[in-house]
PDB file of all heavy atoms in Angstrom:
ATOM      1  N   GLU A  96      22.578   9.827   5.434  1.00  0.00           N
ATOM      2  CA  GLU A  96      22.710  11.271   5.271  1.00  0.00           C
ATOM      3  C   GLU A  96      22.704  12.001   6.610  1.00  0.00           C
ATOM      4  O   GLU A  96      23.397  12.998   6.786  1.00  0.00           O
ATOM      5  CB  GLU A  96      21.593  11.814   4.378  1.00  0.00           C
ATOM      6  CG  GLU A  96      21.786  11.501   2.915  1.00  0.00           C
ATOM      7  CD  GLU A  96      20.637  11.979   2.046  1.00  0.00           C
ATOM      8  OE1 GLU A  96      19.601  12.437   2.590  1.00  0.00           O
ATOM      9  OE2 GLU A  96      20.766  11.903   0.818  1.00  0.00           O
ATOM     10  N   ALA A  97      21.944  11.514   7.568  1.00  0.00           N
ATOM     11  CA  ALA A  97      21.906  12.129   8.898  1.00  0.00           C
ATOM     12  C   ALA A  97      23.177  11.817   9.680  1.00  0.00           C
ATOM     13  O   ALA A  97      23.644  12.630  10.480  1.00  0.00           O
ATOM     14  CB  ALA A  97      20.678  11.651   9.669  1.00  0.00           C
ATOM     15  N   PHE A  98      23.766  10.653   9.454  1.00  0.00           N
ATOM     16  CA  PHE A  98      24.942  10.206  10.200  1.00  0.00           C
ATOM     17  C   PHE A  98      26.240  10.834   9.693  1.00  0.00           C
ATOM     18  O   PHE A  98      27.092  11.246  10.483  1.00  0.00           O
ATOM     19  CB  PHE A  98      25.038   8.677  10.123  1.00  0.00           C
ATOM     20  CG  PHE A  98      26.273   8.107  10.744  1.00  0.00           C
ATOM     21  CD1 PHE A  98      26.381   7.989  12.116  1.00  0.00           C
ATOM     22  CD2 PHE A  98      27.330   7.684   9.943  1.00  0.00           C
ATOM     23  CE1 PHE A  98      27.525   7.463  12.694  1.00  0.00           C
ATOM     24  CE2 PHE A  98      28.476   7.155  10.515  1.00  0.00           C
ATOM     25  CZ  PHE A  98      28.580   7.046  11.896  1.00  0.00           C
ATOM     26  N   LEU A  99      26.417  10.906   8.388  1.00  0.00           N
ATOM     27  CA  LEU A  99      27.704  11.295   7.807  1.00  0.00           C
ATOM     28  C   LEU A  99      28.183  12.709   8.123  1.00  0.00           C
ATOM     29  O   LEU A  99      29.381  12.897   8.324  1.00  0.00           O
ATOM     30  CB  LEU A  99      27.685  11.071   6.300  1.00  0.00           C
ATOM     31  CG  LEU A  99      27.781   9.612   5.863  1.00  0.00           C
ATOM     32  CD1 LEU A  99      27.741   9.515   4.349  1.00  0.00           C
ATOM     33  CD2 LEU A  99      29.010   8.930   6.422  1.00  0.00           C
ATOM     34  N   PRO A 100      27.346  13.729   8.156  1.00  0.00           N
ATOM     35  CA  PRO A 100      27.875  15.078   8.422  1.00  0.00           C
ATOM     36  C   PRO A 100      28.660  15.184   9.732  1.00  0.00           C
ATOM     37  O   PRO A 100      29.600  15.973   9.820  1.00  0.00           O
ATOM     38  CB  PRO A 100      26.625  15.957   8.465  1.00  0.00           C
ATOM     39  CG  PRO A 100      25.652  15.254   7.603  1.00  0.00           C
ATOM     40  CD  PRO A 100      25.925  13.789   7.843  1.00  0.00           C
ATOM     41  N   ASN A 101      28.331  14.398  10.706  1.00  0.00           N
ATOM     42  CA  ASN A 101      29.028  14.433  11.987  1.00  0.00           C
ATOM     43  C   ASN A 101      30.301  13.586  11.975  1.00  0.00           C
ATOM     44  O   ASN A 101      30.992  13.513  12.987  1.00  0.00           O
ATOM     45  CB  ASN A 101      28.104  13.956  13.107  1.00  0.00           C
ATOM     46  CG  ASN A 101      26.887  14.838  13.235  1.00  0.00           C
ATOM     47  OD1 ASN A 101      26.958  16.035  13.039  1.00  0.00           O
ATOM     48  ND2 ASN A 101      25.755  14.236  13.539  1.00  0.00           N
ATOM     49  N   GLN A 102      30.594  12.947  10.868  1.00  0.00           N
ATOM     50  CA  GLN A 102      31.745  12.041  10.782  1.00  0.00           C
ATOM     51  C   GLN A 102      32.845  12.569   9.866  1.00  0.00           C
ATOM     52  O   GLN A 102      33.736  11.820   9.475  1.00  0.00           O
ATOM     53  CB  GLN A 102      31.270  10.660  10.293  1.00  0.00           C
ATOM     54  CG  GLN A 102      30.187  10.039  11.130  1.00  0.00           C
ATOM     55  CD  GLN A 102      30.587   9.885  12.582  1.00  0.00           C
ATOM     56  OE1 GLN A 102      31.698   9.473  12.878  1.00  0.00           O
ATOM     57  NE2 GLN A 102      29.686  10.231  13.486  1.00  0.00           N
ATOM     58  N   ARG A 103      32.820  13.852   9.547  1.00  0.00           N
ATOM     59  CA  ARG A 103      33.766  14.419   8.583  1.00  0.00           C
ATOM     60  C   ARG A 103      35.222  14.161   8.987  1.00  0.00           C
ATOM     61  O   ARG A 103      36.032  13.726   8.171  1.00  0.00           O
ATOM     62  CB  ARG A 103      33.526  15.913   8.411  1.00  0.00           C
ATOM     63  CG  ARG A 103      34.469  16.557   7.405  1.00  0.00           C
ATOM     64  CD  ARG A 103      34.135  18.018   7.198  1.00  0.00           C
ATOM     65  NE  ARG A 103      32.804  18.194   6.679  1.00  0.00           N
ATOM     66  CZ  ARG A 103      32.508  18.281   5.385  1.00  0.00           C
ATOM     67  NH1 ARG A 103      33.471  18.201   4.502  1.00  0.00           N
ATOM     68  NH2 ARG A 103      31.277  18.452   4.984  1.00  0.00           N
ATOM     69  N   VAL A 104      35.580  14.418  10.244  1.00  0.00           N
ATOM     70  CA  VAL A 104      36.969  14.236  10.694  1.00  0.00           C
ATOM     71  C   VAL A 104      37.379  12.770  10.568  1.00  0.00           C
ATOM     72  O   VAL A 104      38.467  12.461  10.058  1.00  0.00           O
ATOM     73  CB  VAL A 104      37.139  14.739  12.153  1.00  0.00           C
ATOM     74  CG1 VAL A 104      38.517  14.393  12.691  1.00  0.00           C
ATOM     75  CG2 VAL A 104      36.905  16.244  12.214  1.00  0.00           C
ATOM     76  N   ALA A 105      36.531  11.863  11.000  1.00  0.00           N
ATOM     77  CA  ALA A 105      36.845  10.432  10.923  1.00  0.00           C
ATOM     78  C   ALA A 105      36.959   9.976   9.472  1.00  0.00           C
ATOM     79  O   ALA A 105      37.850   9.183   9.130  1.00  0.00           O
ATOM     80  CB  ALA A 105      35.786   9.610  11.653  1.00  0.00           C
ATOM     81  N   LEU A 106      36.099  10.476   8.594  1.00  0.00           N
ATOM     82  CA  LEU A 106      36.147  10.100   7.177  1.00  0.00           C
ATOM     83  C   LEU A 106      37.424  10.623   6.517  1.00  0.00           C
ATOM     84  O   LEU A 106      38.055   9.916   5.713  1.00  0.00           O
ATOM     85  CB  LEU A 106      34.915  10.608   6.438  1.00  0.00           C
ATOM     86  CG  LEU A 106      33.606   9.916   6.806  1.00  0.00           C
ATOM     87  CD1 LEU A 106      32.427  10.658   6.191  1.00  0.00           C
ATOM     88  CD2 LEU A 106      33.624   8.468   6.358  1.00  0.00           C
ATOM     89  N   GLN A 107      37.825  11.851   6.858  1.00  0.00           N
ATOM     90  CA  GLN A 107      39.059  12.406   6.287  1.00  0.00           C
ATOM     91  C   GLN A 107      40.280  11.613   6.770  1.00  0.00           C
ATOM     92  O   GLN A 107      41.188  11.340   5.996  1.00  0.00           O
ATOM     93  CB  GLN A 107      39.191  13.882   6.655  1.00  0.00           C
ATOM     94  CG  GLN A 107      38.211  14.761   5.906  1.00  0.00           C
ATOM     95  CD  GLN A 107      38.203  16.204   6.389  1.00  0.00           C
ATOM     96  OE1 GLN A 107      38.609  16.501   7.499  1.00  0.00           O
ATOM     97  NE2 GLN A 107      37.716  17.089   5.534  1.00  0.00           N
ATOM     98  N   ALA A 108      40.280  11.220   8.040  1.00  0.00           N
ATOM     99  CA  ALA A 108      41.392  10.415   8.572  1.00  0.00           C
ATOM    100  C   ALA A 108      41.447   9.056   7.890  1.00  0.00           C
ATOM    101  O   ALA A 108      42.521   8.577   7.516  1.00  0.00           O
ATOM    102  CB  ALA A 108      41.249  10.246  10.084  1.00  0.00           C
ATOM    103  N   ALA A 109      40.291   8.422   7.701  1.00  0.00           N
ATOM    104  CA  ALA A 109      40.244   7.122   7.027  1.00  0.00           C
ATOM    105  C   ALA A 109      40.709   7.245   5.581  1.00  0.00           C
ATOM    106  O   ALA A 109      41.438   6.382   5.070  1.00  0.00           O
ATOM    107  CB  ALA A 109      38.832   6.544   7.089  1.00  0.00           C
ATOM    108  N   ALA A 110      40.324   8.337   4.914  1.00  0.00           N
ATOM    109  CA  ALA A 110      40.758   8.549   3.526  1.00  0.00           C
ATOM    110  C   ALA A 110      42.268   8.724   3.449  1.00  0.00           C
ATOM    111  O   ALA A 110      42.933   8.167   2.560  1.00  0.00           O
ATOM    112  CB  ALA A 110      40.041   9.756   2.929  1.00  0.00           C
ATOM    113  N   ALA A 111      42.840   9.480   4.400  1.00  0.00           N
ATOM    114  CA  ALA A 111      44.292   9.688   4.409  1.00  0.00           C
ATOM    115  C   ALA A 111      45.023   8.373   4.647  1.00  0.00           C
ATOM    116  O   ALA A 111      46.034   8.086   3.979  1.00  0.00           O
ATOM    117  CB  ALA A 111      44.669  10.707   5.484  1.00  0.00           C
ATOM    118  N   LEU A 112      44.549   7.552   5.560  1.00  0.00           N
ATOM    119  CA  LEU A 112      45.168   6.252   5.812  1.00  0.00           C
ATOM    120  C   LEU A 112      45.060   5.335   4.593  1.00  0.00           C
ATOM    121  O   LEU A 112      45.990   4.589   4.275  1.00  0.00           O
ATOM    122  CB  LEU A 112      44.532   5.585   7.035  1.00  0.00           C
ATOM    123  CG  LEU A 112      44.872   6.226   8.386  1.00  0.00           C
ATOM    124  CD1 LEU A 112      44.038   5.598   9.495  1.00  0.00           C
ATOM    125  CD2 LEU A 112      46.362   6.088   8.673  1.00  0.00           C
ATOM    126  N   THR A 113      43.939   5.401   3.919  1.00  0.00           N
ATOM    127  CA  THR A 113      43.745   4.583   2.712  1.00  0.00           C
ATOM    128  C   THR A 113      44.732   4.996   1.633  1.00  0.00           C
ATOM    129  O   THR A 113      45.354   4.145   0.971  1.00  0.00           O
ATOM    130  CB  THR A 113      42.295   4.708   2.204  1.00  0.00           C
ATOM    131  OG1 THR A 113      41.409   4.283   3.233  1.00  0.00           O
ATOM    132  CG2 THR A 113      42.066   3.874   0.950  1.00  0.00           C
ATOM    133  N   VAL A 114      44.911   6.293   1.440  1.00  0.00           N
ATOM    134  CA  VAL A 114      45.871   6.789   0.444  1.00  0.00           C
ATOM    135  C   VAL A 114      47.274   6.328   0.794  1.00  0.00           C
ATOM    136  O   VAL A 114      48.027   5.851  -0.073  1.00  0.00           O
ATOM    137  CB  VAL A 114      45.793   8.332   0.337  1.00  0.00           C
ATOM    138  CG1 VAL A 114      46.978   8.893  -0.451  1.00  0.00           C
ATOM    139  CG2 VAL A 114      44.490   8.749  -0.299  1.00  0.00           C
ATOM    140  N   GLN A 115      47.655   6.440   2.070  1.00  0.00           N
ATOM    141  CA  GLN A 115      48.984   5.995   2.497  1.00  0.00           C
ATOM    142  C   GLN A 115      49.179   4.498   2.229  1.00  0.00           C
ATOM    143  O   GLN A 115      50.240   4.080   1.756  1.00  0.00           O
ATOM    144  CB  GLN A 115      49.192   6.282   3.983  1.00  0.00           C
ATOM    145  CG  GLN A 115      49.344   7.752   4.306  1.00  0.00           C
ATOM    146  CD  GLN A 115      49.391   8.014   5.807  1.00  0.00           C
ATOM    147  OE1 GLN A 115      49.260   7.100   6.607  1.00  0.00           O
ATOM    148  NE2 GLN A 115      49.586   9.277   6.169  1.00  0.00           N
TER     149      GLN A 115
END
Side-chain angles (χ1 to χ4, degrees):
E96 285 177 352
F98 175 78
L99 286 180
N101 299 325
Q102 304 303 317
R103 181 176 299 267
V104 173
L106 291 170
Q107 288 173 338
L112 289 172
T113 301
V114 167
Q115 289 173 357

